[in-house]
Amino acid sequence: MPEKKNNLNLSYKSKGMSLAVKTVTRLSVGMLLLYGVNMTLHGHMIPGGGFAAGIFIALAFLNLILAFGKDPAKERLNQRRMAIIMGLGLILFLFIGMLGFGKGFFFADFFKNNTGFFSILGGKNIPFYNIAISLQVSSGLLTIFLCLTLLKIKGE
Amino acid sequence: MTELVVLLIVMIIGAVVALEIKDLLSSVVIIGALGLCLSVGFVLLKAPDLAMVQLVVELILMVILIRATVIEDKHDNNKKRENAYFFVVISSLVVFLSAAFFIIRKLPIFGKPIFRISYAYLKDLNINALGSNILASLMLDWRVFDVFGCMIALFVAVICVLLLVKGKRKI
């Protein structure tokens, strides 16, 4: 469809915000997303962690929705896909915890010695936990926001 | 320490203004400024982790609050009850402040004596195996089950919202 290519097309019901906001958002969203991913992968080194990184990633997508309006978001985002990512994060966290049974107990460290390739990680299995947490938190917050804005409540 | 005191005074004044102001949008903006002050306070107290989370959560909260308030600007102030509200607020302020005056004087100094639990954390940490951020290591080394419960809470919250808000349209 020709309407999809031009974001400023007036045929959208909700046009989003002004041209300046759209331009700035187009520039800043990439950086915000990159910072979130950086914080996820370096969460054991720098301030922040999985939770803050997940919120950053959710905020990047949320900025896009606010700037460009509801309808482009409604066409692109899929509720089922978001739910799958959210469950995947939780199951990944549980799976890494279960791997600790090889060492003796639940949530035990299995990189205690930090030799060879895994010495890059520095912080035991913390980076893996951070990845799982950021996956779950980002998709969960985004799902809540989308539901509250795009859908209608049953009673109304 | 003086910067922290100035920040706290600004926050108290801002909170009172946010309660009393008539325009809802201005009130929400003042709440955002309060969150910013709080995150600067966390930086002054040397907790950059918490400052970052506070800042970002405040941003999302601001977006949701603005979306909720801008569309419907309703004032349901009942003038008959205003005097009663004023009396309740003043009396509770007097009670709480007088109680706080006596209680805070009897509190021990912060950090003295060190709590036994934090001693155990610091003693049993395997320092060589950690990253450079001791807080993340504490959080995911000792309290990993806690974080797991937190994630489950978020999961349940999302499912509840999905059940409540399911309408005719699908995303």
Side-chain angles (χ1 to χ4, degrees):
Chain A
M1 288 170 75
E3 296 158 14
K4 274 186 179 178
K5 289 176 185 173
N6 190 1
N7 286 319
L8 304 174
N9 203 322
L10 293 177
S11 60
Y12 280 127
K13 284 176 188 173
S14 60
K15 288 179 289 182
M17 293 188 179
S18 64
L19 181 63
V21 177
K22 282 180 183 173
T23 312
V24 172
T25 305
R26 218 175 274 144
L27 291 173
S28 67
V29 156
M31 282 189 275
L32 206 59
L33 201 61
L34 198 65
Y35 188 57
V37 173
N38 177 40
M39 200 189 276
T40 307
L41 296 179
H42 290 240
H44 54 290
M45 302 282 199
I46 59 172
F51 200 85
I55 297 173
F56 263 104
I57 292 169
L59 201 69
F61 285 109
L62 203 147
N63 255 347
L64 274 182
I65 293 164
L66 283 179
F68 291 101
K70 288 178 188 175
D71 296 336
K74 213 180 283 177
E75 288 164 10
R76 285 167 179 75
L77 289 166
N78 193 351
Q79 183 182 328
R80 174 177 276 180
R81 204 179 297 158
M82 306 263 286
I84 287 174
I85 293 173
M86 192 176 63
L88 197 73
L90 197 60
I91 289 171
L92 191 65
F93 196 91
L94 192 61
F95 179 70
I96 300 167
M98 293 284 241
L99 281 182
F101 275 126
K103 201 89 173 176
F105 55 93
F106 202 40
F107 287 126
D109 284 323
F110 42 91
F111 295 131
K112 209 77 179 180
N113 291 323
N114 271 330
T115 51
F117 174 71
F118 293 110
S119 62
I120 302 168
L121 298 173
K124 309 183 205 177
N125 48 8
I126 292 171
F128 300 103
Y129 285 134
N130 273 334
I131 290 169
I133 293 170
S134 73
L135 272 180
Q136 207 256 353
V137 168
S138 58
S139 52
L141 280 178
L142 206 58
T143 310
I144 288 181
F145 185 78
L146 282 177
C147 285
L148 290 179
T149 51
L150 299 189
L151 299 176
K152 288 180 178 177
I153 296 175
K154 259 182 182 176
E156 289 177 356
Chain B
M1 209 62 186
T2 48
E3 304 99 332
L4 198 65
V5 173
V6 171
L7 265 180
L8 286 178
I9 291 170
V10 168
M11 281 171 69
I12 290 169
I13 294 172
V16 173
V17 172
L19 275 175
E20 290 298 323
I21 206 163
K22 288 288 177 189
D23 189 19
L24 280 178
L25 186 62
S26 325
S27 159
V28 171
V29 170
I30 292 168
I31 290 173
L34 283 185
L36 189 66
C37 284
L38 190 61
S39 83
V40 173
F42 281 138
V43 171
L44 287 176
L45 288 171
K46 291 168 187 171
D49 268 37
L50 216 55
M52 205 167 280
V53 173
Q54 167 66 30
L55 190 66
V56 181
V57 169
E58 195 69 37
L59 271 174
I60 285 185
L61 198 75
M62 279 281 287
V63 169
I64 290 174
L65 277 177
I66 287 178
R67 280 204 74 92
T69 52
V70 164
I71 303 165
E72 297 177 20
D73 197 348
K74 289 180 181 175
H75 296 293
D76 289 334
N77 285 338
N78 203 342
K79 282 203 170 182
K80 288 177 184 174
R81 288 185 178 178
E82 263 187 7
N83 289 327
Y85 283 144
F86 186 73
F87 176 71
V88 169
V89 167
I90 291 295
S91 56
S92 56
L93 258 181
V94 168
V95 169
F96 280 118
L97 284 181
S98 54
F101 180 72
F102 289 112
I103 291 169
I104 287 173
R105 285 171 81 190
K106 294 205 171 183
L107 283 177
I109 305 166
F110 181 72
K112 275 181 185 178
I114 295 178
F115 301 114
R116 281 185 183 177
I117 295 173
S118 49
Y119 255 136
Y121 278 143
L122 289 175
K123 200 175 69 181
D124 292 344
L125 272 177
N126 187 6
I127 299 289
N128 296 324
L130 295 178
S132 52
N133 185 1
I134 200 166
L135 193 66
S137 310
L138 262 183
M139 187 153 159
L140 290 177
D141 189 24
W142 282 80
R143 292 175 32 208
V144 72
F145 198 68
D146 193 21
V147 175
F148 184 54
C150 159
M151 285 172 73
I152 287 177
L154 188 63
F155 187 75
V156 172
V158 171
I159 286 175
C160 288
V161 169
L162 279 177
L163 285 176
L164 280 174
V165 193
K166 214 172 188 182
K168 290 172 188 174
R169 294 175 182 172
K170 271 197 168 185
I171 299 174

